[in-house]
Amino acid sequence: MSRLIIVSNRVAVPEAGSKAVAAGGLAVALKEAFTAYRGLWFGWSGKIAEQPADTPTIADRGRVRYAVMDLSPQDHREYYSGFANRALWPIMHYRLGLAAYSRADYAGYQRVNRIFAQALAGLIEPGDLIWVHDYHLIPLASELRGLGVANPIGYFHHIPWPSGEVFNTLPASNELLRAVADYDLIGLQTECDVHNLSRNLVDELRAIPLGGGSLMVDGRRTRIRSFPIGIDVEGFRQAADRAGMNRTVRDTVAGLRTRKLLIGVDRLDYSKGVPERMEAVDRFFASNPDQRGNVVFLQIAPKSRTEVPEYEQLSRDVNEVLGNINGSLGEPSWTPIQYVTKAYPRAVLAGLYRAARVGLVTPMRDGMNLVAKEYVAAQNEEDPGVLVLSKFAGAARQLPEALLVNPYDRFEVAEAIRAALYMPKAERLERWKPMVERLAREDVDWWARTYLTELEAFRTIEREPPAAAEAAQ
Ligand code: ADQ
């Protein structure tokens, strides 16, 4: 059995004695892949150490070996909080005004990718497939190739890839384009992302399109394809079926009495459009005064990246908007917007999704957005709720039967909330069925399988060792 090496920024090592991969995020997504391969999972431990070791800490859990590295305070500041989250993240999400580029941060980003490549190279065996995840690690393939690694190396980009007009504002843009083209297979969420990156490689690096998503860039071949990430549809449905037994879900539903529930679930991130969504709900109550007291909006948004100043500002903005709306509209017997910042287990989220007549998923821009899919999967098949979905979420491509909205237009979102609340059951069923069927076909296992099957095809490619390539020049 050959081995799959996953590389991701943050790696959660499960407790000792546990055979399961850690719950949540990529771990769930890759559960199935790790039954077909032996696994090695490499990345940052999530810990900061004054003097981090230059070799990884190894832990074996069932079929998966974990190899994790600590970061120094400077590496964490420059690589993670700095370049990845203050330059790449806003630019990839089309938020040029929020981007903060610094040369020191970029140097830190490159340094950590080099340190990771050096630590990882020693663990790679000849038959291994290497699958790197997300924007923190774009230069990793170039670093590994420089160390003579000839295995197939794939990359999956979880967030949007913007058009060249936006991406090229980043001072390091062409270097990053060269680096990403060093991967054999570049997986993106949507066809639009594929178009943006391919076009930019042609315009900036004179890449030559070879058909079927392949391009020749600086004499190397790369392939760019969309692989929309899916969810565990069956798992969410079953969790929602059982959620009636959960105390938090039961109490929430009892507290609603006859009120209808609107729900939003997001990491607190400016890409998710949380304050804009609250303003749209305010707009809805302004134009539908008869609904005051009859509808409640529950926003669940755990804080994230609190060390990044833009996220602290967002948290203050949300509190201000929330306070204004609840203060001006609320009654002693009715709070229009309930806001909680806790993370909840899947059992609770699934039950709350099912209890909500409307799922409000209105990011300003999102690679995919799994919450939209989870909301659909968790619905009661006899009486499903309605998804209001931003047309700027990657998920909108697979969920055209949702009420698609422009999140920048709060009147449009308010109108969609009204349409969703008044939508007859027959229409709700008619919209929901094709969505859930598509999500079940293109679930998370399908996503990992499709990607890995394509990456396998790169095994047959002969590569010149880097030293020989240099000598030939
Ligand atoms: P995220 O930006 O984190 O992911 P999203 O796709 O919505 O966004 O995934 C969030 C996940 O966190 C969901 O599974 C959700 O259930 C969970 N979650 C959110 N709030 C929670 C809470 N309060 N408690 C517990 N769990 C909570 C990035 C990209 C996305 C892309 C994914 C996957 O930004 O565009 O869809 O990766 O590729």
Side-chain angles (χ1 to χ4, degrees):
M1 182 185 267
S2 60
R3 205 165 64 146
L4 173 64
I5 300 184
I6 298 292
V7 189
S8 61
N9 168 58
R10 180 107 47 131
V11 180
V13 181
E15 293 290 310
S18 156
K19 285 199 182 336
V21 292
L26 255 191
V28 170
L30 296 167
K31 195 173 73 205
E32 180 77 5
F34 283 139
T35 60
Y37 296 89
R38 284 183 300 125
L40 172 69
W41 198 327
F42 179 93
W44 176 35
S45 61
K47 293 186 195 136
I48 297 172
E50 285 303 326
Q51 298 286 335
D54 49 15
T55 52
T57 306
I58 307 279
D60 287 311
R61 300 285 184 271
R63 307 168 71 86
V64 182
R65 165 165 289 190
Y66 291 82
V68 293
M69 309 279 292
D70 296 344
L71 291 179
S72 74
Q74 185 186 359
D75 287 346
H76 178 257
R77 195 174 56 247
E78 294 175 348
Y79 150 81
Y80 179 72
S81 305
F83 190 71
N85 284 332
R86 293 194 77 194
L88 280 178
W89 177 273
I91 284 181
M92 295 290 191
H93 287 87
Y94 294 70
R95 299 295 286 271
L96 299 186
L98 293 178
Y101 172 84
S102 103
R103 284 190 173 196
D105 287 350
Y106 182 50
Y109 176 78
Q110 290 172 301
R111 184 175 63 248
V112 171
N113 273 274
R114 196 166 315 125
I115 293 170
F116 279 8
Q118 281 159 353
L120 176 60
L123 303 174
I124 298 172
E125 295 163 12
D128 292 344
L129 278 187
I130 305 167
W131 191 6
V132 178
H133 288 263
D134 237 356
Y135 58 102
H136 315 84
L137 299 168
I138 293 173
L140 198 75
S142 311
E143 296 291 344
L144 289 171
R145 294 286 182 234
L147 295 168
V149 173
N151 305 51
I153 312 181
Y155 172 69
F156 188 78
H157 188 73
H158 289 257
I159 63 178
W161 197 290
S163 72
E165 281 77 5
V166 174
F167 184 76
N168 300 341
T169 61
L170 189 63
S173 61
N174 274 8
E175 263 181 59
L176 286 170
L177 286 177
R178 264 186 214 103
V180 79
D182 264 336
Y183 285 94
D184 292 310
L185 177 62
I186 304 168
L188 299 170
Q189 300 275 26
T190 68
E191 285 303 320
C192 175
D193 299 330
V194 169
H195 171 82
N196 287 340
L197 174 57
S198 310
R199 173 81 202 266
N200 208 12
L201 286 169
V202 170
D203 289 349
E204 292 295 314
L205 303 187
R206 298 169 193 233
I208 303 160
L210 302 171
S214 295
L215 290 123
M216 191 62 84
V217 190
D218 289 344
R220 284 184 312 278
R221 205 182 165 107
T222 185
R223 185 144 204 238
I224 308 178
R225 291 270 322 267
S226 77
F227 300 87
I229 193 167
I231 61 157
D232 174 11
V233 173
E234 189 50 27
F236 259 93
R237 195 184 58 73
Q238 287 177 8
D241 281 346
R242 286 193 301 264
M245 280 140 34
N246 180 283
R247 176 96 191 257
T248 310
V249 176
R250 256 198 345 246
D251 290 352
T252 311
V253 172
L256 285 172
R257 287 176 286 168
T258 57
R259 288 177 178 138
K260 289 196 174 133
L261 180 66
L262 317 174
I263 195 166
V265 175
D266 310 79
R267 254 182 335 96
L268 189 58
D269 190 296
Y270 49 79
S271 65
K272 305 291 183 184
V274 173
E276 293 84 352
R277 186 181 307 157
M278 289 178 172
E279 281 169 356
V281 169
D282 184 38
R283 187 66 247 155
F284 164 76
F285 286 122
S287 41
N288 297 274
D290 57 316
Q291 290 303 312
R292 293 182 193 174
N294 293 336
V295 174
V296 170
F297 172 39
L298 169 61
Q299 174 66 57
I300 303 178
K303 286 193 178 184
S304 72
R305 305 180 191 164
T306 44
E307 71 285 2
V308 178
E310 290 74 22
Y311 287 73
E312 265 309 299
Q313 182 59 45
L314 172 69
S315 180
R316 286 194 291 274
D317 292 347
V318 168
N319 285 328
E320 191 180 326
V321 172
L322 175 78
N324 286 342
I325 298 173
N326 281 344
S328 65
L329 283 183
E331 302 282 350
S333 58
W334 173 62
T335 306
I337 303 182
Q338 293 180 3
Y339 176 55
V340 294
T341 58
K342 272 196 206 151
Y344 290 95
R346 178 157 88 172
V348 174
L349 282 187
L352 295 175
Y353 289 143
R354 182 169 288 190
R357 170 47 58 87
V358 183
L360 281 181
V361 184
T362 55
M364 315 314 279
R365 190 67 66 170
D366 217 326
M368 178 53 61
N369 195 298
L370 298 181
V371 170
K373 296 186 169 184
E374 292 166 3
Y375 177 78
V376 170
Q379 293 310 297
N380 176 349
E381 61 185 347
E382 315 254 290
D383 190 17
V386 180
L387 176 64
V388 174
L389 177 60
S390 162
K391 59 183 174 187
F392 304 127
R397 317 265 159 167
Q398 285 168 299
L399 302 172
E401 296 85 0
L403 295 182
L404 296 183
V405 293
N406 173 359
Y408 290 88
D409 183 348
R410 68 187 118 121
F411 286 84
E412 191 179 316
V413 178
E415 197 39 54
I417 293 172
R418 182 186 156 81
L421 285 170
Y422 286 97
M423 190 180 286
K425 188 158 139 185
E427 185 181 346
R428 285 189 273 123
L429 278 165
E430 201 178 306
R431 287 175 178 271
W432 176 75
K433 272 199 174 139
M435 292 199 283
V436 79
E437 283 166 12
R438 203 171 302 117
L439 294 185
R441 270 195 314 274
E442 299 177 356
D443 70 355
V444 67
D445 294 344
W446 167 88
W447 169 76
R449 212 171 40 241
T450 318
Y451 184 92
L452 289 169
T453 305
E454 212 155 302
L455 187 59
E456 286 276 1
F458 289 88
R459 279 189 192 286
T460 51
I461 292 178
E462 293 285 325
R463 273 175 241 282
E464 260 183 286
E470 267 165 35
Q473 281 177 3

